[in-house]
Short mmCIF file of all heavy atoms in Angstrom, two decimals:
data_model
loop_
_atom_site.label_atom_id
_atom_site.label_comp_id
_atom_site.label_asym_id
_atom_site.label_seq_id
_atom_site.Cartn_x
_atom_site.Cartn_y
_atom_site.Cartn_z
N ARG L 9 -108.68 -145.25 22.52
CA ARG L 9 -110.02 -144.77 22.18
C ARG L 9 -110.02 -144.11 20.81
O ARG L 9 -109.17 -143.25 20.53
CB ARG L 9 -110.46 -143.76 23.25
CG ARG L 9 -111.74 -143.02 22.96
CD ARG L 9 -112.25 -142.27 24.17
NE ARG L 9 -111.30 -141.30 24.69
CZ ARG L 9 -111.48 -140.62 25.83
NH1 ARG L 9 -112.55 -140.83 26.56
NH2 ARG L 9 -110.58 -139.74 26.23
N VAL L 11 -111.47 -141.45 18.38
CA VAL L 11 -112.26 -140.21 18.40
C VAL L 11 -112.41 -139.72 16.95
O VAL L 11 -111.45 -139.25 16.35
CB VAL L 11 -111.58 -139.12 19.26
CG1 VAL L 11 -112.45 -137.86 19.29
CG2 VAL L 11 -111.32 -139.63 20.67
N PHE L 14 -111.38 -135.69 14.72
CA PHE L 14 -110.48 -134.85 15.51
C PHE L 14 -109.06 -135.02 14.98
O PHE L 14 -108.63 -136.15 14.76
CB PHE L 14 -110.51 -135.25 16.99
CG PHE L 14 -109.63 -134.36 17.85
CD1 PHE L 14 -110.12 -133.19 18.40
CD2 PHE L 14 -108.29 -134.69 18.07
CE1 PHE L 14 -109.31 -132.37 19.15
CE2 PHE L 14 -107.47 -133.86 18.82
CZ PHE L 14 -107.98 -132.71 19.37
N PRO L 15 -108.32 -133.93 14.81
CA PRO L 15 -108.68 -132.53 15.02
C PRO L 15 -109.40 -131.89 13.84
O PRO L 15 -109.70 -130.70 13.89
CB PRO L 15 -107.31 -131.85 15.22
CG PRO L 15 -106.38 -132.66 14.39
CD PRO L 15 -106.89 -134.08 14.44
N ILE L 19 -110.56 -137.30 10.13
CA ILE L 19 -109.45 -137.92 10.86
C ILE L 19 -110.04 -138.76 12.00
O ILE L 19 -110.82 -138.26 12.80
CB ILE L 19 -108.49 -136.86 11.46
CG1 ILE L 19 -107.94 -135.93 10.38
CG2 ILE L 19 -107.37 -137.55 12.25
CD1 ILE L 19 -106.92 -136.54 9.46
N LEU L 20 -109.66 -140.06 12.02
CA LEU L 20 -110.04 -140.91 13.17
C LEU L 20 -108.86 -140.88 14.14
O LEU L 20 -107.84 -141.53 13.90
CB LEU L 20 -110.34 -142.33 12.71
CG LEU L 20 -110.80 -143.28 13.82
CD1 LEU L 20 -112.14 -142.83 14.39
CD2 LEU L 20 -110.90 -144.71 13.29
N PHE L 21 -109.01 -140.13 15.21
CA PHE L 21 -107.90 -139.90 16.14
C PHE L 21 -107.78 -141.06 17.12
O PHE L 21 -108.75 -141.45 17.78
CB PHE L 21 -108.13 -138.60 16.91
CG PHE L 21 -106.90 -138.10 17.63
CD1 PHE L 21 -105.95 -137.33 16.98
CD2 PHE L 21 -106.70 -138.42 18.96
CE1 PHE L 21 -104.82 -136.88 17.64
CE2 PHE L 21 -105.57 -137.98 19.64
CZ PHE L 21 -104.62 -137.20 18.98
N LYS L 22 -106.58 -141.62 17.22
CA LYS L 22 -106.30 -142.69 18.18
C LYS L 22 -105.86 -142.04 19.48
O LYS L 22 -104.71 -141.58 19.60
CB LYS L 22 -105.21 -143.61 17.63
CG LYS L 22 -105.63 -144.40 16.41
CD LYS L 22 -106.65 -145.46 16.79
CE LYS L 22 -107.07 -146.30 15.60
NZ LYS L 22 -108.13 -147.27 15.94
N ASP L 23 -106.75 -141.99 20.44
CA ASP L 23 -106.51 -141.32 21.72
C ASP L 23 -105.90 -142.32 22.71
O ASP L 23 -106.56 -143.29 23.11
CB ASP L 23 -107.84 -140.77 22.25
CG ASP L 23 -107.71 -140.09 23.59
OD1 ASP L 23 -106.58 -139.72 23.97
OD2 ASP L 23 -108.75 -139.93 24.27
N ILE L 24 -104.66 -142.05 23.12
CA ILE L 24 -103.99 -142.98 24.04
C ILE L 24 -104.11 -142.54 25.50
O ILE L 24 -103.58 -143.22 26.38
CB ILE L 24 -102.50 -143.17 23.68
CG1 ILE L 24 -101.71 -141.86 23.88
CG2 ILE L 24 -102.35 -143.71 22.27
CD1 ILE L 24 -100.23 -142.07 24.10
N VAL L 56 -90.86 -137.44 20.69
CA VAL L 56 -91.38 -136.31 19.93
C VAL L 56 -92.55 -135.68 20.67
O VAL L 56 -93.49 -136.39 21.08
CB VAL L 56 -91.82 -136.76 18.52
CG1 VAL L 56 -92.24 -135.55 17.68
CG2 VAL L 56 -90.71 -137.54 17.82
N GLU L 57 -92.53 -134.36 20.83
CA GLU L 57 -93.60 -133.61 21.48
C GLU L 57 -94.94 -133.90 20.80
O GLU L 57 -95.01 -133.90 19.60
CB GLU L 57 -93.31 -132.11 21.40
CG GLU L 57 -94.29 -131.26 22.17
CD GLU L 57 -93.81 -129.81 22.35
OE1 GLU L 57 -92.70 -129.47 21.90
OE2 GLU L 57 -94.59 -129.04 22.92
N ALA L 58 -96.00 -134.11 21.59
CA ALA L 58 -96.02 -134.08 23.03
C ALA L 58 -96.20 -135.47 23.63
O ALA L 58 -95.64 -135.79 24.66
CB ALA L 58 -97.17 -133.19 23.50
N ARG L 59 -97.01 -136.32 22.96
CA ARG L 59 -97.26 -137.64 23.54
C ARG L 59 -96.03 -138.52 23.51
O ARG L 59 -95.88 -139.43 24.33
CB ARG L 59 -98.47 -138.29 22.85
CG ARG L 59 -99.78 -137.59 23.19
CD ARG L 59 -100.93 -138.15 22.39
NE ARG L 59 -100.81 -137.92 20.97
CZ ARG L 59 -101.22 -136.82 20.34
NH1 ARG L 59 -101.80 -135.85 21.02
NH2 ARG L 59 -101.06 -136.69 19.05
N GLY L 60 -95.11 -138.22 22.60
CA GLY L 60 -93.84 -138.95 22.57
C GLY L 60 -92.98 -138.68 23.79
O GLY L 60 -92.08 -139.46 24.12
N LYS L 80 -91.63 -128.78 19.41
CA LYS L 80 -92.19 -127.82 18.47
C LYS L 80 -91.36 -126.53 18.55
O LYS L 80 -90.64 -126.31 19.52
CB LYS L 80 -93.65 -127.53 18.84
CG LYS L 80 -94.54 -128.79 18.87
CD LYS L 80 -94.93 -129.24 17.47
CE LYS L 80 -95.54 -130.64 17.45
NZ LYS L 80 -96.74 -130.81 18.26
N TYR L 93 -91.37 -130.28 8.15
CA TYR L 93 -91.92 -131.53 7.61
C TYR L 93 -93.42 -131.40 7.43
O TYR L 93 -94.05 -130.51 7.99
CB TYR L 93 -91.59 -132.70 8.55
CG TYR L 93 -92.31 -132.65 9.87
CD1 TYR L 93 -93.40 -133.50 10.12
CD2 TYR L 93 -91.95 -131.76 10.85
CE1 TYR L 93 -94.08 -133.45 11.32
CE2 TYR L 93 -92.63 -131.69 12.06
CZ TYR L 93 -93.69 -132.55 12.28
OH TYR L 93 -94.36 -132.49 13.47
N GLY L 94 -94.01 -132.34 6.66
CA GLY L 94 -95.46 -132.38 6.47
C GLY L 94 -96.04 -133.50 7.30
O GLY L 94 -95.40 -134.51 7.51
N LEU L 95 -97.28 -133.34 7.80
CA LEU L 95 -97.93 -134.41 8.56
C LEU L 95 -99.35 -134.61 8.07
O LEU L 95 -99.78 -133.94 7.14
CB LEU L 95 -97.83 -134.21 10.07
CG LEU L 95 -98.79 -133.29 10.82
CD1 LEU L 95 -98.49 -133.35 12.31
CD2 LEU L 95 -98.67 -131.88 10.35
N GLU L 96 -100.06 -135.58 8.68
CA GLU L 96 -101.36 -136.00 8.15
C GLU L 96 -102.31 -134.81 8.05
O GLU L 96 -103.11 -134.74 7.13
CB GLU L 96 -101.95 -137.10 9.05
CG GLU L 96 -103.13 -137.82 8.44
CD GLU L 96 -103.77 -138.82 9.42
OE1 GLU L 96 -103.28 -138.95 10.55
OE2 GLU L 96 -104.76 -139.44 9.02
N TYR L 97 -102.24 -133.89 9.01
CA TYR L 97 -103.17 -132.76 8.96
C TYR L 97 -102.45 -131.42 9.11
O TYR L 97 -102.72 -130.65 9.99
CB TYR L 97 -104.28 -132.91 10.01
CG TYR L 97 -103.87 -133.54 11.33
CD1 TYR L 97 -103.19 -132.80 12.28
CD2 TYR L 97 -104.17 -134.87 11.61
CE1 TYR L 97 -102.83 -133.37 13.47
CE2 TYR L 97 -103.80 -135.45 12.80
CZ TYR L 97 -103.13 -134.69 13.74
OH TYR L 97 -102.77 -135.25 14.93
N ASP L 119 -92.55 -142.29 19.26
CA ASP L 119 -93.73 -141.42 19.22
C ASP L 119 -94.96 -142.27 19.54
O ASP L 119 -94.86 -143.50 19.63
CB ASP L 119 -93.85 -140.74 17.85
CG ASP L 119 -94.70 -139.47 17.91
OD1 ASP L 119 -95.20 -139.11 19.00
OD2 ASP L 119 -94.88 -138.84 16.85
N ASP L 120 -96.11 -141.64 19.68
CA ASP L 120 -97.30 -142.42 20.03
C ASP L 120 -97.90 -143.11 18.81
O ASP L 120 -98.15 -144.31 18.83
CB ASP L 120 -98.35 -141.55 20.76
CG ASP L 120 -98.92 -140.43 19.91
OD1 ASP L 120 -98.21 -139.96 18.99
OD2 ASP L 120 -100.06 -140.01 20.16
N VAL L 121 -98.14 -142.34 17.74
CA VAL L 121 -98.87 -142.87 16.59
C VAL L 121 -98.06 -142.66 15.31
O VAL L 121 -97.57 -141.56 15.05
CB VAL L 121 -100.24 -142.17 16.45
CG1 VAL L 121 -100.94 -142.59 15.17
CG2 VAL L 121 -101.13 -142.50 17.65
N LEU L 122 -97.92 -143.71 14.52
CA LEU L 122 -97.37 -143.60 13.17
C LEU L 122 -98.54 -143.47 12.22
O LEU L 122 -99.30 -144.43 12.04
CB LEU L 122 -96.53 -144.84 12.83
CG LEU L 122 -95.83 -144.81 11.48
CD1 LEU L 122 -94.60 -143.91 11.53
CD2 LEU L 122 -95.44 -146.21 11.03
N ALA L 123 -98.70 -142.30 11.63
CA ALA L 123 -99.77 -142.09 10.65
C ALA L 123 -99.15 -142.09 9.26
O ALA L 123 -98.88 -143.15 8.70
CB ALA L 123 -100.53 -140.81 10.96
N THR L 124 -98.82 -140.92 8.71
CA THR L 124 -98.12 -140.90 7.42
C THR L 124 -96.64 -141.23 7.57
O THR L 124 -95.97 -141.54 6.59
CB THR L 124 -98.22 -139.51 6.78
OG1 THR L 124 -97.49 -138.58 7.60
CG2 THR L 124 -99.65 -139.05 6.64
N GLY L 125 -96.13 -141.11 8.80
CA GLY L 125 -94.71 -141.35 9.05
C GLY L 125 -93.85 -140.10 8.93
O GLY L 125 -92.66 -140.14 9.21
N GLY L 126 -94.47 -138.99 8.52
CA GLY L 126 -93.71 -137.76 8.32
C GLY L 126 -93.02 -137.24 9.57
O GLY L 126 -91.88 -136.78 9.52
N THR L 127 -93.73 -137.32 10.70
CA THR L 127 -93.17 -136.80 11.96
C THR L 127 -91.97 -137.64 12.39
O THR L 127 -90.92 -137.09 12.75
CB THR L 127 -94.24 -136.82 13.06
OG1 THR L 127 -95.37 -136.08 12.62
CG2 THR L 127 -93.71 -136.22 14.35
N LEU L 128 -92.13 -138.96 12.37
CA LEU L 128 -91.05 -139.84 12.81
C LEU L 128 -89.84 -139.70 11.89
O LEU L 128 -88.70 -139.65 12.35
CB LEU L 128 -91.55 -141.29 12.83
CG LEU L 128 -90.70 -142.26 13.63
CD1 LEU L 128 -90.64 -141.86 15.11
CD2 LEU L 128 -91.23 -143.68 13.49
N LYS L 129 -90.10 -139.62 10.59
CA LYS L 129 -89.01 -139.47 9.62
C LYS L 129 -88.26 -138.17 9.88
O LYS L 129 -87.02 -138.14 9.87
CB LYS L 129 -89.59 -139.48 8.20
CG LYS L 129 -88.54 -139.47 7.12
CD LYS L 129 -89.21 -139.58 5.75
CE LYS L 129 -88.20 -139.25 4.66
NZ LYS L 129 -88.81 -138.69 3.47
N VAL L 147 -93.19 -146.94 17.82
CA VAL L 147 -94.45 -146.25 18.09
C VAL L 147 -95.35 -147.19 18.86
O VAL L 147 -95.24 -148.43 18.75
CB VAL L 147 -95.15 -145.81 16.79
CG1 VAL L 147 -94.34 -144.72 16.09
CG2 VAL L 147 -95.40 -146.98 15.85
N VAL L 149 -98.72 -147.09 18.44
CA VAL L 149 -99.79 -147.42 17.49
C VAL L 149 -99.34 -147.10 16.07
O VAL L 149 -98.88 -145.99 15.80
CB VAL L 149 -101.06 -146.60 17.81
CG1 VAL L 149 -102.16 -146.88 16.78
CG2 VAL L 149 -101.55 -146.85 19.23
N LEU L 151 -100.89 -146.86 12.23
CA LEU L 151 -102.09 -146.88 11.39
C LEU L 151 -101.69 -147.51 10.06
O LEU L 151 -101.25 -146.83 9.13
CB LEU L 151 -102.63 -145.45 11.20
CG LEU L 151 -102.96 -144.70 12.50
CD1 LEU L 151 -103.50 -143.30 12.20
CD2 LEU L 151 -103.96 -145.48 13.34
N PHE L 153 -103.18 -148.84 7.59
CA PHE L 153 -103.88 -148.53 6.34
C PHE L 153 -103.32 -147.29 5.65
O PHE L 153 -103.60 -147.05 4.48
CB PHE L 153 -105.38 -148.39 6.59
CG PHE L 153 -105.73 -147.34 7.62
CD1 PHE L 153 -105.96 -146.02 7.25
CD2 PHE L 153 -105.83 -147.68 8.96
CE1 PHE L 153 -106.28 -145.05 8.19
CE2 PHE L 153 -106.14 -146.72 9.92
CZ PHE L 153 -106.36 -145.40 9.54
N LEU L 154 -102.51 -146.49 6.35
CA LEU L 154 -101.92 -145.30 5.72
C LEU L 154 -100.61 -145.61 4.99
O LEU L 154 -100.08 -144.76 4.28
CB LEU L 154 -101.69 -144.21 6.78
CG LEU L 154 -102.98 -143.55 7.32
CD1 LEU L 154 -102.66 -142.59 8.45
CD2 LEU L 154 -103.73 -142.84 6.20
N ALA L 156 -97.46 -146.11 5.86
CA ALA L 156 -96.17 -145.48 6.18
C ALA L 156 -95.02 -146.50 6.19
O ALA L 156 -93.89 -146.19 5.80
CB ALA L 156 -96.24 -144.77 7.52
P1 AMP J 1 -97.56 -138.55 10.91
O1 AMP J 1 -96.45 -137.57 10.81
O2 AMP J 1 -98.58 -138.38 9.84
O3 AMP J 1 -97.07 -139.98 11.04
O4 AMP J 1 -98.36 -138.21 12.22
C1 AMP J 1 -97.87 -138.63 13.41
C2 AMP J 1 -98.07 -137.59 14.47
O5 AMP J 1 -99.36 -136.98 14.43
C3 AMP J 1 -97.96 -138.27 15.78
O6 AMP J 1 -97.20 -137.43 16.62
C4 AMP J 1 -99.37 -138.43 16.26
O7 AMP J 1 -99.45 -138.05 17.60
C5 AMP J 1 -100.22 -137.53 15.41
N1 AMP J 1 -101.27 -138.21 14.68
C6 AMP J 1 -101.44 -138.23 13.35
N2 AMP J 1 -102.52 -138.89 12.99
C7 AMP J 1 -103.08 -139.33 14.11
C8 AMP J 1 -104.25 -140.12 14.41
N3 AMP J 1 -105.06 -140.56 13.46
N4 AMP J 1 -104.49 -140.39 15.70
C9 AMP J 1 -103.67 -139.95 16.68
N5 AMP J 1 -102.59 -139.20 16.47
C10 AMP J 1 -102.28 -138.90 15.20
#
Side-chain angles (χ1 to χ4, degrees):
R9 172 168 59 187
V11 182
F14 182 88
I19 303 287
L20 183 64
F21 194 85
K22 293 290 182 184
D23 178 18
I24 65 156
V56 185
E57 186 167 358
R59 291 174 295 274
K80 303 282 167 59
Y93 69 104
L95 82 177
E96 193 185 0
Y97 36 78
D119 202 0
D120 64 332
V121 174
L122 183 77
T124 66
T127 304
L128 197 61
K129 186 176 167 208
V147 293
V149 177
L151 303 181
F153 57 90
L154 290 174

